[in-house]
Amino acid sequence: MGIPAIKARVDSGAKTSSIQATNIKVYNKGAQEWVKFEVNPLQENRSIAIECDARLIDRRMVKSSSGISEERLVVKTPVALGHDTFGIELTLANRDTMEFRMLLGREALTNRYMVNPADSYAIQDFKEEELNSIYAPYFKEKTGLKIALLASNPELYSNKRLVEAAEARGHEIVFLNVELAYMKLDARSPEIRYRGGNILNEFDAVIPRIKPSVTFYGCALIRQFDNLGVYCQNSAEAIAQSRDKLFASQLFSKNDIHIPITGFAKSPMDTKDLIRMVNGAPLIIKLLESTQGKGVVLAETNKAAESVINAFKSVNTNILVQEFIKEANGQDIRCFVVNGKVVASMQRQAEKGEFRANIHQGGKASIIKITQEERKLALKAAKVLNLAVAGVDIIRSNKGPLLLEVNSSPGLEGIENATGQDIANSMIMAIEKKLKFSSLA
């Protein structure tokens, strides 16, 4: 397969050997099925990818260590171990998060070797200098930035677009799952490691796309990257502030940013006055941790509002009560802000019978020309929260534009499709500008 050297784990508990493979494509060569795939043989250097081509000899159901069965493609290849070379079968597997890029199963070991579980690399080991020498032709000269995309799901539209945009501008971008990274807190040598023990120490920038359920841990990681001198496009403090709807509302009020009248209380005894304070029903009740329109309720009458508020309070859930802007007719505006500039704006229209205009709640998006006042409001809101990238939601009212909320990980799909703007590219260019990097792309 043209792979000079690879670290393998001897695993007599596994029947078939396997190798880490990505970009797997099955194709026909004459009457036979063949498979193309890429192997990243060095755990510490994902930029080295060796293209492999082999005849497909089987498809097998394999149970992973976590007990999940999946179909794997099987190929055959000669392998050299010490002075011996022999043919083995390999299943193509996603071992990207594993410490070893290859696993040597018992079919490869039987009648050839005895295994001493107390020993390692008994037949053959490569020193770092040897590996560097073997792989020297594969090392690419660094021409761009090395960017980490810190998120949870690589298949999301927004994450795929950011990877495409970074690569198109000549940068290396690596997807890091927030929950698979961990850190070492130490004054002399602080570190961030990734599953399997990789030390993450070569990044120029991090794009945080933290989902709400991992805000606390994600922000801790971003602070650690910041401590290591890595530029984070949105800081941990800015993300935490934007996620705390009560704190954000207080910051907006303090900075003369107009929002719908909002109330917050602890005691159920004051529910009636709380409702009166925001001009009575209909009114909006929001969970402080809500996102994408989830945890947001419209109470049509004062009695319904009392019931919902008291129900939330009975389970010790913090809520905001907010006036309902009837004249908005289920419409709001999403402004996408990047480095102090509104790069795109869309109008979202709620489905019939629905008051939430969020795309995730079935809202329809269309391009809109915003007013100068709305532009200023969007920029000021992002600046108050110190967000370099922000989705700012605005509603048009009889009192003028009002700020609804600010999202620190705004989705790209709805707004790119509605406006035709390449927002992912704008985000990558903003990183280049911040790091004073001149791209030739």
Side-chain angles (χ1 to χ4, degrees):
M1 287 183 181
I3 299 169
I6 190 166
K7 187 166 76 167
R9 175 184 173 183
V10 176
D11 188 352
S12 57
K15 184 182 177 188
T16 315
S17 303
S18 69
I19 196 164
Q20 178 265 357
T22 55
N23 299 327
I24 300 170
K25 290 183 181 72
V26 177
Y27 68 99
N28 291 322
K29 192 189 274 190
Q32 295 177 333
E33 277 192 312
W34 282 62
V35 58
K36 280 184 192 295
F37 55 97
E38 287 183 357
V39 175
N40 302 108
L42 301 181
Q43 180 77 21
E44 298 78 18
N45 191 329
R46 300 188 198 189
S47 63
I48 292 178
I50 296 178
E51 291 183 7
C52 302
D53 203 17
R55 188 167 73 83
L56 185 63
I57 63 163
D58 199 5
R59 297 170 191 261
R60 283 183 205 152
M61 294 304 293
V62 175
K63 193 175 275 190
S64 70
S65 55
S66 54
I68 299 165
S69 292
E70 61 178 0
E71 186 186 70
R72 291 215 192 131
L73 305 180
V74 185
V75 298
K76 199 165 186 176
T77 180
V79 63
L81 191 51
H83 299 297
D84 297 327
T85 300
F86 49 92
I88 62 167
E89 290 183 354
L90 280 178
T91 64
L92 306 183
N94 180 2
R95 300 184 57 80
D96 201 40
T97 57
M98 306 295 185
E99 187 180 352
F100 294 87
R101 292 305 207 207
M102 184 172 164
L103 185 149
L104 211 54
R106 63 178 175 272
E107 278 184 344
L109 304 169
T110 304
N111 298 326
R112 288 193 180 99
Y113 303 106
M114 288 183 69
V115 178
N116 177 0
D119 202 358
S120 295
Y121 308 112
I123 293 176
Q124 181 169 282
D125 192 7
F126 289 100
K127 293 185 171 62
E128 197 173 338
E129 307 84 69
E130 288 178 274
L131 274 180
N132 289 339
S133 171
I134 291 168
Y135 278 102
Y138 298 91
F139 282 96
K140 294 174 189 167
E141 193 180 334
K142 186 178 173 183
T143 54
L145 298 171
K146 187 161 183 184
I147 301 169
L149 177 56
L150 193 63
S152 295
N153 182 358
E155 298 306 312
L156 281 185
Y157 174 94
S158 301
N159 296 335
K160 282 181 168 180
R161 284 287 299 112
L162 285 164
V163 169
E164 286 170 10
E167 288 177 345
R169 294 190 65 80
H171 306 302
E172 183 187 344
I173 184 162
V174 175
F175 182 89
L176 297 178
N177 187 320
V178 178
E179 292 166 84
L180 299 184
Y182 52 101
M183 58 199 115
K184 172 187 168 193
L185 308 175
D186 174 61
R188 282 202 185 91
S189 56
E191 288 175 352
I192 296 179
R193 296 193 176 205
Y194 203 56
R195 188 171 173 182
N198 280 327
I199 299 173
L200 306 178
N201 59 0
E202 293 178 358
F203 292 110
D204 300 298
V206 170
I207 303 173
R209 305 277 306 172
I210 310 293
K211 63 182 180 181
S213 60
V214 290
T215 299
F216 179 81
Y217 190 68
C219 284
L221 275 173
I222 295 164
R223 279 193 295 272
Q224 187 79 345
F225 272 116
D226 184 60
N227 291 344
L228 294 170
V230 180
Y231 168 65
C232 301
Q233 194 163 34
N234 275 339
S235 70
E237 290 69 29
I239 293 168
Q241 283 179 169
S242 71
R243 293 273 162 89
D244 184 337
K245 285 188 170 55
L246 177 62
F247 184 36
S249 298
Q250 288 173 318
L251 283 173
F252 299 145
S253 298
K254 182 182 175 184
N255 288 277
D256 196 30
I257 291 174
H258 296 285
I259 62 173
I261 299 167
T262 303
F264 178 72
K266 186 72 178 163
S267 166
M269 290 159 61
D270 299 313
T271 301
K272 280 187 170 65
D273 192 43
L274 187 66
I275 292 167
R276 276 196 297 273
M277 193 170 75
V278 298
N279 295 332
L283 56 80
I284 303 288
I285 298 155
K286 283 184 180 179
L287 288 177
L288 281 187
E289 294 81 22
S290 67
T291 181
Q292 296 176 349
K294 295 167 189 165
V296 181
V297 179
L298 171 64
E300 308 246 11
T301 66
N302 284 355
K303 198 154 189 62
E306 278 187 58
S307 299
V308 175
I309 292 167
N310 291 334
F312 276 135
K313 285 186 178 171
S314 70
V315 289
N316 286 325
T317 303
N318 287 318
I319 55 163
L320 289 178
V321 178
Q322 205 166 64
E323 72 170 320
F324 178 60
I325 310 299
K326 191 178 179 182
E327 62 268 25
N329 293 320
Q331 291 177 343
D332 71 12
I333 296 166
R334 161 63 63 90
C335 297
F336 207 107
V337 177
V338 179
N339 272 19
K341 186 181 175 189
V342 176
V343 294
S345 302
M346 67 172 171
Q347 178 172 276
R348 302 181 297 190
Q349 173 69 57
E351 275 191 315
K352 197 171 182 184
E354 174 61 75
F355 70 97
R356 296 167 295 182
N358 304 66
I359 304 294
H360 289 88
Q361 300 300 330
K364 297 283 185 289
S366 59
I367 193 165
I368 189 175
K369 189 172 171 59
I370 58 171
T371 66
Q372 199 57 34
E373 197 181 357
E374 287 161 350
R375 187 179 301 277
K376 280 182 182 171
L377 177 59
L379 295 178
K380 190 174 180 182
K383 190 176 180 183
V384 161
L385 291 177
N386 201 24
L387 287 167
V389 172
V392 181
D393 295 340
I394 294 169
I395 197 165
R396 288 174 171 170
S397 79
N398 293 335
K399 297 180 276 188
L402 300 174
L403 178 68
L404 285 179
E405 64 178 289
V406 181
N407 190 321
S408 57
S409 296
L412 305 185
E413 187 169 11
I415 198 160
E416 282 197 343
N417 290 339
T419 65
Q421 295 287 328
D422 189 344
I423 295 171
N425 187 58
S426 298
M427 288 174 66
I428 302 301
M429 285 176 71
I431 292 172
E432 291 173 1
K433 192 173 179 183
K434 197 76 183 171
L435 297 179
K436 297 180 171 59
F437 176 84
S438 177
S439 174
L440 301 174

